[in-house]
Amino acid sequence: MSGNSIGRIYRVTTFGESHGRGVGVVIDGVTPGIPISREDIQKQLDRRKPGQSELTTQRKESDTVEILSGIFEGRTTGTPMALLLYNTDQDSSAYDHIRRAYRPGHADFTYQSKYGIRDYRGSGRASGRETAGRVAAGAVAMKILAMSDIEIKAYTLRAGGIECRIRDMEVIEQNPMRACDPEAAQKMAGRIEEMKTAGDSVGGIVECRIQGVPAGLGEPVFDKMEAELGRAMLSIGAVRGIEFGAGFSIADMTGSESNDPLRPDGFSSNNSGGIIGGISTGQEILFRIAVKPTASISKEQHSIDADGRPIQIRTEGRHDPCICPRIVPVVEAMSAMVVLDLIKRQAALHS
Amino acid sequence: MSGNSIGRIYRVTTFGESHGRGVGVVIDGVTPGIPISREDIQKQLDRRKPGQSELTTQRKESDTVEILSGIFEGRTTGTPMALLLYNTDQDSSAYDHIRRAYRPGHADFTYQSKYGIRDYRGSGRASGRETAGRVAAGAVAMKILAMSDIEIKAYTLRAGGIECRIRDMEVIEQNPMRACDPEAAQKMAGRIEEMKTAGDSVGGIVECRIQGVPAGLGEPVFDKMEAELGRAMLSIGAVRGIEFGAGFSIADMTGSESNDPLRPDGFSSNNSGGIIGGISTGQEILFRIAVKPTASISKEQHSIDADGRPIQIRTEGRHDPCICPRIVPVVEAMSAMVVLDLIKRQAALHS
Amino acid sequence: MSGNSIGRIYRVTTFGESHGRGVGVVIDGVTPGIPISREDIQKQLDRRKPGQSELTTQRKESDTVEILSGIFEGRTTGTPMALLLYNTDQDSSAYDHIRRAYRPGHADFTYQSKYGIRDYRGSGRASGRETAGRVAAGAVAMKILAMSDIEIKAYTLRAGGIECRIRDMEVIEQNPMRACDPEAAQKMAGRIEEMKTAGDSVGGIVECRIQGVPAGLGEPVFDKMEAELGRAMLSIGAVRGIEFGAGFSIADMTGSESNDPLRPDGFSSNNSGGIIGGISTGQEILFRIAVKPTASISKEQHSIDADGRPIQIRTEGRHDPCICPRIVPVVEAMSAMVVLDLIKRQAALHS
Amino acid sequence: MSGNSIGRIYRVTTFGESHGRGVGVVIDGVTPGIPISREDIQKQLDRRKPGQSELTTQRKESDTVEILSGIFEGRTTGTPMALLLYNTDQDSSAYDHIRRAYRPGHADFTYQSKYGIRDYRGSGRASGRETAGRVAAGAVAMKILAMSDIEIKAYTLRAGGIECRIRDMEVIEQNPMRACDPEAAQKMAGRIEEMKTAGDSVGGIVECRIQGVPAGLGEPVFDKMEAELGRAMLSIGAVRGIEFGAGFSIADMTGSESNDPLRPDGFSSNNSGGIIGGISTGQEILFRIAVKPTASISKEQHSIDADGRPIQIRTEGRHDPCICPRIVPVVEAMSAMVVLDLIKRQAALHS
């Protein structure tokens, strides 16, 4: 109700602020009897954690996960899994200057407006660190989905104005941009280094493909599969848009162009992104999200303080010049949760 | 759970198929004591109904709403409002040919895959007629929102490849496209007539602005305002994408360009679309949706029948060559529900 | 959220006031492909409707149900079923005297306190007529449960101070009390006639048995089966208590008496009422509810008017001197919804 | 959905098994800006913890709570509060004998039936230790309620067949039974010592009063206040029944006896237990619950093992001979959550 949970049956609740005791997640609705190890979860968290390359923030964060409950002798019990990551080594003094000041592009002003109080240190609850809980919950979902041969793959399609020309799924984890085109990845890296030096940041586009989803998932009319995925993606801090299949370009098509013909051996195109009428078609699910440039930049910007007086502000410290590579595992995690939840809902409907 | 409800407190549940007895909606969580007349609701339904102009379908549908409950002596009682629109004069025989055939771009195949049974007549539950219930529920929400001076305005920004050059809010209801530029509206109409004659259809982009939303609405982290609006919009049949503020163009910006500076008299730009960190900033809420071309076209298309055999299929009957003008009131209705729900959630949090 | 829905997957939402246009229900999460006729539903409604015998109110209410949606060619489609009963022939003038007066034992004062407005005619939303929607939704649930050989039987165990000495399931529908002991039923009827003449009413106890429930249903820790059944029963207007198995008498037992021993051929007692740790044991589910005397009596009572001034008030009109026989089908309906919902949740958990 | 959460707006999710890493709770919907200290919570946990007297189990459990999130500079931030109690010093070997055996009265058999796997150590998730999370969440709710002068008081009314003859609220925390009659408390203690020596246990009745609840809380029709309280109480492990106000004795009353007359200065009786039509009347809320004898007894009992073979079983170790005194703070905690949630829902309805 207050927005810290997602999913109806596979229900994920995150908690924690970036400079409090820790961040974590409680997962309810976990299928019982599934073998899951701490390493299965840690592996995904390591893909999200800061400091992976020159292109991401150099902050040291302890992303070591502790399983508090829900596992017995290496298998899920069907009771809630609580996963905790303690916060360590935070230097909160770096945030003293925003105690009573609002950074442009950050949630400082809006959190203050909403709650009348905010933990300003490291952006508090609005910190990207909150997504660690999501990635952990997604890792558990992936283990369950793997049993149905469902595979999820996200990657940077565009960053700093540079777009991938090929979509090579094999190279994604081999470049720090998590891009699907190694050549483009290198250009992106160059552009980002440049912006970093200038004290600025860049945005990009992340694409995601989900394979192996059977036809029939999604709950019309309000919980259409694109509505559920859309909501999940738009709940990630930096995401400003989402489009499925042909996306916004469909606006300029005609019906005879956009309709995907059916043939005895399947659909012959996928403008729909694998979803028609809110229900999966059995094709690949395909969507793209718009990622805004990191709000934390060291260039001076105009803003106001808590009394409404004009100030100049610059964000000190180590921040991601481009968040795309670290959003990739978050997008995969959110996708896994949504698909698993819809599988469970479909089973419930037919029971 | 099965997808026919939306909203947490202002909770809307639609029901009905296009060729069954009727369509309707039950609204729970209605603020008590609000004066609402049948006409308040009918007025919005008339904006959605077919046959408004040459550019929309010429089907005759009874969009006459009956208030079954929740109103006493002209005011809401706080108990559920049930609103019903009987279906009349349907000729279901026109749909005999799809009893065992799947139309491209339609939900025929996916509904069959999901449920194992479907009311194929007039697309059944997947019919656009289901949105009548949404518009009715939105009309009630708008009456409640009007008390807080919140105003919602959607319009066709682009259709058939033609984009509005100006955004004149006054002209929207004066042209059949509900476009914000009368000149563009005329060109759109021409283009659509052309496509209609060719047995084809076109897509477009609808933009929506919400004014008067106070800072502080939206529920981090999963029910961010953009997540709630995104989910609501993506639950409308023809919508394939949504973007907020600068939208996908933000992908190519730098942080210093995209961050909206704060000044003592407010923000000096609105790349965020009025939402930061999932919470309203107090600025105008701004988003755009991608609308696909109507799937029903009279051109022949490849498809399959229920036995998987190849067929040629063309949709007979009267269909909208461009759905944008009729989606406008649906977008406004969904927006009203979301904003009202978030207002109620904010009140609950602070109690 | 505002209390007009129950169930997570088999989700039932009732609407309507007793003197408005009608009452009804929307059911979401209906298993698709189940054959259901209007008569299946009407049959249960007829067991609830007034005027069945001298022992129930002589009011004439149209309990004729209309299926608005969710059925196609005699089978459920998995889309929401909306069921409507129009109100007819109401004489609202009989309620003029309570427009600004509060009847003792009725929800007049509390509805006014909660909503600041109320439809006072025939108790409005608080009318027993609201349960028609429940009975209809229960009838649908029963059809689905019948496929799993689950059977639900409720009956009057005690009324007007007279308790059944035997529990003969065969006689229940053969006496107007729906009691499980024909001799006791006759005595109850005598006592009730007496009270009716005196302008008074009586309470009683209704017992319910659910057979065929497999071991393993119920969702610890908060949605234990007794919690779900308890909530469902306590949501019925006149119910003031519920107990499972040995019930309140367990308070005076010792552990060695109350624990149900397990044997290779099953449990050898059922003090638990078929539920341990919130999960069904595979035994019969057994519970009893306390039903208060009908609040509407023609004896004069002390009360106050809307201005807080003392008044004398007596309820005119035709009312049930004992509501037990008509609560029986409501108890069965609520039980059916709860059990079906838990079956669906169990399927979802294991998917 | 899987039963580990309760409440709509003040939403509480517990996690943890008694012999895993720890138990805890996440609370969403916490009113922001409320001063809460760790001690406020610890104080309530200390009332629940084992080893408080000779009459409760002598097990040592670390009930030291750690606040992981949601508090900043001593005040709630409106973000989720996660509270954790690590498990310490557990000797799981004491449970080896039930690895493949089912104890009568315990949830061993039913958990195995439901999940196909169970953490048998210390009853796992079904352990009373799970209620620590509830008590913690209730302590937070109480701090918020205290601002509205709402006070909750539960106490042992009956145990081992001995009933309190007076209701003295002052003596409750001064006797180990938490009974409202010091004389009865002593007799209860004697009886319990006796049963403990005999390797047996006793049940009882706990009563609860909630004062200061304004008229108008509760959400008809399904979330009536008694339905919400009933569900909350029946979700506590040992509870087998609940009754409000006059409770089951109302079954033998007449309407003229049971209806509570209204007078200008308030109601002149409280048979309704402070709730009519599911909505609070402004009177004291009053209910009683039936508590079964502790299932863990050292007497030999018949049961079966995992292969269905007959066995004799006795529960070793230190267990509560009567759980009533330790259920008292749990009942208060659950009551606090329910009332706070209904206050928030009422605010939402009227916004």
Side-chain angles (χ1 to χ4, degrees):
Chain A
M1 171 53 57
S2 289
N4 295 288
S5 300
I6 194 167
R8 301 295 175 97
I9 296 174
Y10 188 79
R11 186 154 180 87
V12 171
T13 303
T14 70
F15 61 84
E17 287 84 32
S18 76
H19 285 236
R21 285 291 287 142
V23 297
V25 67
V26 177
I27 319 170
D28 202 5
V30 178
T31 315
I34 306 289
I36 292 181
S37 67
R38 210 194 65 80
E39 287 64 40
D40 290 325
I41 300 166
Q42 190 63 53
K43 195 175 61 186
Q44 292 300 329
L45 285 167
D46 289 347
R47 294 176 68 217
R48 191 214 73 91
K49 80 172 176 195
Q52 296 173 61
S53 80
E54 287 299 307
L55 299 180
T56 57
T57 169
Q58 294 305 298
R59 281 196 316 278
K60 289 278 172 290
E61 280 175 20
S62 159
D63 267 12
T64 307
V65 68
E66 187 176 343
I67 300 177
L68 297 174
S69 63
I71 295 282
F72 180 61
E73 299 181 342
R75 289 192 297 152
T76 58
T77 56
T79 60
M81 285 185 69
L83 307 172
L84 176 61
L85 295 85
Y86 277 105
N87 295 329
T88 52
D89 306 319
Q90 307 123 312
D91 179 11
S92 301
S93 67
Y95 294 93
D96 281 351
H97 71 297
I98 60 161
R99 189 189 179 94
R100 291 181 42 77
Y102 305 133
R103 293 165 298 170
H106 276 281
D108 301 340
F109 172 73
T110 53
Y111 265 67
Q112 193 67 40
S113 300
K114 177 173 191 63
Y115 298 105
I117 178 177
R118 78 184 206 278
D119 182 349
Y120 60 86
R121 303 165 304 167
S123 295
R125 180 78 179 138
S127 166
R129 185 156 171 74
E130 179 269 334
T131 61
R134 304 180 182 215
V135 168
V140 174
M142 280 170 202
K143 286 291 288 187
I144 302 172
L145 287 178
M147 307 212 149
S148 320
D149 286 323
I150 292 172
E151 257 192 290
I152 300 165
K153 203 123 202 128
Y155 43 86
T156 303
L157 182 67
R158 185 180 178 97
I162 294 143
E163 182 135 353
C164 292
R165 287 162 181 270
I166 57 167
R167 280 174 168 90
D168 181 348
M169 298 298 103
E170 304 306 314
V171 303
I172 296 166
E173 294 297 318
Q174 290 160 21
N175 70 78
M177 285 306 297
R178 289 204 171 91
C180 56
D181 173 351
E183 223 172 289
Q186 239 172 356
K187 284 187 204 157
M188 290 173 186
R191 173 93 177 113
I192 288 168
E193 283 296 347
E194 215 174 278
M195 296 311 299
K196 197 177 151 184
T197 309
D200 216 329
S201 62
V202 305
I205 290 175
V206 168
E207 189 169 80
C208 183
R209 293 154 182 268
I210 314 176
Q211 265 156 340
V213 175
L217 298 190
E219 297 291 331
V221 295
F222 293 111
D223 298 351
K224 292 187 163 87
M225 186 176 255
E226 60 269 60
E228 293 287 295
L229 284 168
R231 179 244 180 119
M233 297 307 144
L234 288 163
S235 80
I236 305 171
V239 178
R240 306 313 299 153
I242 183 166
E243 56 175 24
F244 292 83
F248 274 82
S249 73
I250 214 163
D252 286 354
M253 289 184 183
T254 63
S256 56
E257 287 163 357
S258 66
N259 284 345
D260 298 313
L262 284 95
R263 306 272 190 171
D265 56 346
F267 289 88
S268 42
S269 62
N270 191 10
N271 288 317
S272 73
I275 313 170
I276 300 183
I279 304 172
S280 59
T281 62
Q283 291 180 280
E284 181 179 78
I285 307 289
L286 177 68
F287 63 87
R288 280 170 299 282
I289 58 171
V291 179
K292 75 170 185 175
T294 318
S296 299
I297 56 176
S298 54
K299 276 193 173 168
E300 290 234 319
Q301 294 176 282
H302 293 287
S303 193
I304 56 171
D305 66 15
D307 300 316
R309 281 178 305 219
I311 55 169
Q312 293 282 94
I313 196 162
R314 32 179 293 174
T315 307
E316 306 290 348
R318 299 152 302 176
H319 298 281
D320 294 86
C322 177
I323 202 65
C324 288
R326 290 181 62 210
I327 270 196
V328 162
V330 182
V331 168
E332 291 174 356
M334 297 306 294
S335 298
M337 290 179 209
V338 168
V339 172
L340 178 55
D341 194 48
L342 290 176
I343 286 173
K344 286 174 173 284
R345 290 167 76 174
Q346 172 77 345
L349 179 69
H350 282 277
S351 294
Chain B
M1 170 53 59
S2 290
N4 295 289
S5 301
I6 193 166
R8 302 297 175 95
I9 295 173
Y10 189 78
R11 186 154 180 85
V12 172
T13 303
T14 70
F15 61 84
E17 286 85 31
S18 75
H19 285 236
R21 285 290 287 143
V23 298
V25 66
V26 177
I27 319 169
D28 203 7
V30 178
T31 314
I34 307 287
I36 291 182
S37 67
R38 209 194 65 82
E39 288 63 40
D40 290 325
I41 301 166
Q42 191 63 53
K43 194 175 60 186
Q44 293 300 328
L45 285 168
D46 288 347
R47 294 176 67 218
R48 191 215 72 91
K49 79 171 175 194
Q52 297 174 61
S53 80
E54 287 299 307
L55 299 180
T56 57
T57 169
Q58 294 304 300
R59 279 196 317 279
K60 290 275 173 292
E61 279 176 21
S62 159
D63 268 12
T64 307
V65 68
E66 188 176 342
I67 300 178
L68 297 174
S69 63
I71 294 282
F72 180 61
E73 300 182 342
R75 289 191 297 152
T76 57
T77 57
T79 60
M81 284 185 71
L83 307 173
L84 176 61
L85 296 84
Y86 278 105
N87 295 330
T88 50
D89 304 321
Q90 308 123 314
D91 179 12
S92 301
S93 67
Y95 294 93
D96 280 351
H97 72 297
I98 60 161
R99 189 186 179 94
R100 291 181 44 77
Y102 305 133
R103 291 166 298 169
H106 276 280
D108 302 339
F109 172 73
T110 53
Y111 265 66
Q112 192 67 39
S113 300
K114 178 173 191 63
Y115 298 105
I117 178 177
R118 78 182 205 279
D119 182 349
Y120 60 87
R121 304 165 304 166
S123 295
R125 180 78 179 137
S127 165
R129 184 152 170 78
E130 179 269 334
T131 60
R134 304 181 182 214
V135 169
V140 174
M142 280 170 202
K143 286 291 288 187
I144 303 173
L145 288 177
M147 307 212 150
S148 318
D149 286 324
I150 293 173
E151 257 191 290
I152 300 166
K153 202 125 202 124
Y155 43 86
T156 303
L157 183 66
R158 185 180 178 97
I162 295 143
E163 183 135 354
C164 293
R165 286 162 184 271
I166 58 166
R167 280 175 168 88
D168 182 347
M169 298 299 103
E170 305 306 316
V171 303
I172 297 167
E173 295 297 320
Q174 291 161 19
N175 69 79
M177 285 305 298
R178 289 205 170 89
C180 56
D181 173 350
E183 224 173 288
Q186 239 172 355
K187 284 187 203 157
M188 290 173 186
R191 174 92 179 114
I192 288 168
E193 284 295 348
E194 215 175 279
M195 295 310 299
K196 196 176 153 186
T197 309
D200 216 330
S201 63
V202 305
I205 290 175
V206 167
E207 189 169 80
C208 183
R209 290 154 183 268
I210 313 177
Q211 264 157 339
V213 175
L217 298 191
E219 296 291 330
V221 292
F222 293 112
D223 299 350
K224 292 186 163 91
M225 186 176 256
E226 60 270 60
E228 293 287 296
L229 284 169
R231 178 246 181 116
M233 298 306 144
L234 289 162
S235 80
I236 305 172
V239 178
R240 307 313 298 154
I242 183 166
E243 58 175 24
F244 292 83
F248 274 82
S249 74
I250 214 163
D252 286 354
M253 289 184 182
T254 63
S256 56
E257 288 162 358
S258 67
N259 285 345
D260 298 314
L262 284 94
R263 305 274 189 172
D265 55 348
F267 289 88
S268 42
S269 61
N270 191 10
N271 289 316
S272 73
I275 312 170
I276 301 184
I279 303 172
S280 59
T281 62
Q283 291 179 279
E284 180 181 77
I285 308 289
L286 177 67
F287 62 87
R288 280 170 299 282
I289 57 170
V291 179
K292 76 169 183 176
T294 318
S296 298
I297 56 175
S298 54
K299 276 193 174 168
E300 290 235 320
Q301 293 176 284
H302 292 288
S303 192
I304 56 171
D305 66 16
D307 299 317
R309 281 177 306 220
I311 54 169
Q312 293 283 95
I313 196 162
R314 31 179 294 174
T315 306
E316 307 291 348
R318 298 152 300 176
H319 297 281
D320 293 88
C322 176
I323 201 65
C324 288
R326 290 181 61 209
I327 271 196
V328 162
V330 182
V331 167
E332 290 174 355
M334 298 306 295
S335 298
M337 289 178 210
V338 168
V339 172
L340 178 56
D341 194 49
L342 290 174
I343 286 173
K344 286 174 173 286
R345 291 167 77 174
Q346 174 76 345
L349 179 69
H350 281 277
S351 293
Chain C
M1 170 55 56
S2 290
N4 295 289
S5 301
I6 192 166
R8 302 297 175 95
I9 295 173
Y10 188 79
R11 187 154 179 86
V12 171
T13 303
T14 70
F15 61 84
E17 287 84 32
S18 76
H19 285 236
R21 285 290 289 142
V23 297
V25 66
V26 177
I27 319 169
D28 202 6
V30 179
T31 315
I34 307 289
I36 291 182
S37 67
R38 209 194 66 82
E39 287 65 39
D40 290 325
I41 300 165
Q42 190 63 53
K43 195 175 59 186
Q44 292 300 328
L45 285 168
D46 288 346
R47 293 176 67 218
R48 191 214 72 89
K49 78 170 176 195
Q52 297 174 61
S53 80
E54 286 299 307
L55 300 179
T56 57
T57 169
Q58 294 304 300
R59 279 196 317 279
K60 291 278 172 290
E61 280 176 21
S62 159
D63 267 12
T64 307
V65 69
E66 187 176 343
I67 301 178
L68 297 173
S69 64
I71 295 282
F72 180 60
E73 299 181 344
R75 289 192 298 152
T76 57
T77 56
T79 60
M81 284 184 69
L83 306 174
L84 176 61
L85 295 85
Y86 277 105
N87 295 330
T88 50
D89 304 320
Q90 309 122 313
D91 179 12
S92 301
S93 67
Y95 294 94
D96 280 351
H97 70 298
I98 60 162
R99 189 187 178 93
R100 291 180 44 77
Y102 304 132
R103 292 165 299 168
H106 275 281
D108 301 340
F109 172 73
T110 52
Y111 265 66
Q112 192 67 40
S113 299
K114 178 173 190 64
Y115 298 104
I117 178 177
R118 78 183 207 279
D119 182 349
Y120 60 86
R121 304 165 305 166
S123 295
R125 180 78 181 138
S127 165
R129 185 155 170 75
E130 179 268 334
T131 60
R134 303 181 183 216
V135 169
V140 174
M142 281 170 201
K143 286 290 288 185
I144 303 173
L145 288 176
M147 308 215 148
S148 318
D149 286 324
I150 292 172
E151 259 191 288
I152 300 165
K153 203 123 202 123
Y155 42 87
T156 302
L157 182 67
R158 185 180 178 97
I162 294 144
E163 182 135 353
C164 292
R165 286 160 185 272
I166 58 166
R167 280 176 169 87
D168 182 346
M169 299 298 104
E170 305 305 315
V171 303
I172 297 167
E173 294 297 320
Q174 291 160 20
N175 69 78
M177 285 306 297
R178 291 206 170 88
C180 55
D181 174 349
E183 223 172 287
Q186 239 173 354
K187 284 187 202 155
M188 290 172 186
R191 174 94 178 112
I192 289 168
E193 284 294 347
E194 216 174 277
M195 296 310 299
K196 198 177 150 184
T197 308
D200 215 330
S201 63
V202 305
I205 291 176
V206 167
E207 189 169 79
C208 182
R209 292 154 182 268
I210 313 176
Q211 264 156 340
V213 175
L217 298 191
E219 297 292 330
V221 294
F222 293 111
D223 298 352
K224 291 187 163 91
M225 187 177 255
E226 60 269 61
E228 293 286 296
L229 284 169
R231 178 246 181 114
M233 298 308 144
L234 289 163
S235 79
I236 305 172
V239 178
R240 306 313 298 152
I242 183 166
E243 58 176 22
F244 291 83
F248 274 82
S249 74
I250 213 163
D252 285 355
M253 290 184 181
T254 64
S256 56
E257 288 163 358
S258 66
N259 284 346
D260 298 313
L262 284 94
R263 306 273 188 173
D265 57 347
F267 289 88
S268 42
S269 62
N270 191 10
N271 288 317
S272 73
I275 312 170
I276 301 183
I279 304 172
S280 59
T281 63
Q283 293 179 278
E284 181 180 78
I285 307 289
L286 177 67
F287 62 87
R288 279 170 300 282
I289 57 170
V291 179
K292 75 169 185 176
T294 318
S296 298
I297 56 175
S298 54
K299 276 192 173 169
E300 289 235 321
Q301 295 175 283
H302 292 289
S303 192
I304 55 171
D305 66 14
D307 299 318
R309 282 177 305 218
I311 55 169
Q312 294 282 94
I313 196 163
R314 32 179 295 175
T315 307
E316 307 291 348
R318 300 153 298 176
H319 297 281
D320 294 86
C322 176
I323 200 66
C324 288
R326 290 180 62 210
I327 270 196
V328 162
V330 181
V331 168
E332 291 175 356
M334 298 305 294
S335 298
M337 289 179 212
V338 168
V339 172
L340 178 55
D341 194 49
L342 290 175
I343 286 173
K344 286 175 172 283
R345 291 166 76 174
Q346 173 77 345
L349 179 68
H350 281 277
S351 294
Chain D
M1 171 53 58
S2 290
N4 295 288
S5 300
I6 194 167
R8 301 297 175 95
I9 294 173
Y10 189 78
R11 185 154 181 86
V12 171
T13 303
T14 71
F15 61 85
E17 286 84 33
S18 76
H19 285 236
R21 286 290 287 142
V23 298
V25 66
V26 177
I27 318 169
D28 202 6
V30 179
T31 314
I34 307 288
I36 291 181
S37 67
R38 209 194 66 80
E39 287 64 40
D40 290 325
I41 301 166
Q42 191 62 53
K43 195 176 59 186
Q44 293 299 330
L45 285 167
D46 288 347
R47 294 177 66 218
R48 191 214 71 91
K49 79 171 175 195
Q52 297 174 60
S53 81
E54 286 299 306
L55 300 180
T56 58
T57 170
Q58 295 303 298
R59 280 196 316 277
K60 291 276 173 296
E61 280 175 21
S62 158
D63 268 10
T64 307
V65 68
E66 188 176 341
I67 300 177
L68 297 173
S69 63
I71 295 282
F72 179 61
E73 298 181 342
R75 289 191 299 152
T76 57
T77 56
T79 61
M81 285 185 69
L83 307 173
L84 176 62
L85 295 85
Y86 277 106
N87 296 330
T88 52
D89 304 321
Q90 308 123 314
D91 180 10
S92 302
S93 67
Y95 294 93
D96 280 351
H97 70 298
I98 59 160
R99 189 189 178 92
R100 291 180 43 77
Y102 305 133
R103 294 166 297 170
H106 275 282
D108 301 341
F109 172 73
T110 52
Y111 265 66
Q112 193 68 39
S113 300
K114 178 173 190 63
Y115 298 105
I117 178 177
R118 79 183 206 278
D119 181 350
Y120 61 86
R121 304 165 304 166
S123 295
R125 179 79 181 135
S127 165
R129 185 155 170 75
E130 179 269 335
T131 60
R134 303 181 182 214
V135 169
V140 174
M142 280 170 202
K143 286 290 287 187
I144 303 173
L145 288 178
M147 306 211 150
S148 319
D149 286 322
I150 292 172
E151 257 191 290
I152 300 166
K153 203 124 202 123
Y155 43 87
T156 303
L157 181 68
R158 185 179 178 98
I162 294 143
E163 182 134 354
C164 292
R165 286 161 184 271
I166 57 167
R167 280 174 167 89
D168 181 348
M169 299 299 103
E170 305 305 315
V171 303
I172 297 166
E173 294 297 318
Q174 291 161 21
N175 70 78
M177 286 305 297
R178 291 207 169 88
C180 55
D181 172 351
E183 224 173 287
Q186 239 173 356
K187 285 186 202 156
M188 289 173 187
R191 173 91 178 114
I192 288 168
E193 282 294 348
E194 216 174 278
M195 294 312 298
K196 196 176 152 184
T197 309
D200 216 330
S201 63
V202 305
I205 290 175
V206 168
E207 189 169 79
C208 183
R209 292 155 183 269
I210 313 177
Q211 265 157 340
V213 175
L217 297 190
E219 297 291 330
V221 295
F222 293 110
D223 298 352
K224 291 187 163 88
M225 188 177 254
E226 60 270 61
E228 293 287 296
L229 283 168
R231 179 245 180 117
M233 297 307 146
L234 288 163
S235 80
I236 304 172
V239 178
R240 307 311 300 152
I242 183 165
E243 57 175 23
F244 292 83
F248 274 83
S249 73
I250 214 163
D252 287 354
M253 289 186 182
T254 62
S256 56
E257 288 163 357
S258 67
N259 284 345
D260 297 314
L262 283 96
R263 305 273 189 173
D265 56 347
F267 289 88
S268 42
S269 62
N270 191 10
N271 288 317
S272 74
I275 312 170
I276 300 183
I279 303 172
S280 59
T281 62
Q283 291 180 280
E284 180 180 78
I285 308 289
L286 177 68
F287 62 87
R288 281 170 299 282
I289 58 170
V291 179
K292 76 169 184 174
T294 318
S296 298
I297 56 175
S298 55
K299 276 194 173 166
E300 289 234 320
Q301 294 176 280
H302 292 289
S303 193
I304 56 171
D305 67 14
D307 300 316
R309 280 177 306 220
I311 55 169
Q312 293 282 95
I313 197 163
R314 33 180 292 175
T315 306
E316 308 289 348
R318 299 152 301 175
H319 298 281
D320 295 87
C322 176
I323 202 65
C324 287
R326 289 180 63 211
I327 271 197
V328 162
V330 182
V331 167
E332 291 174 356
M334 297 305 294
S335 298
M337 288 179 211
V338 168
V339 173
L340 178 56
D341 195 48
L342 290 175
I343 286 173
K344 286 174 173 283
R345 291 166 77 173
Q346 173 76 345
L349 179 69
H350 281 277
S351 295

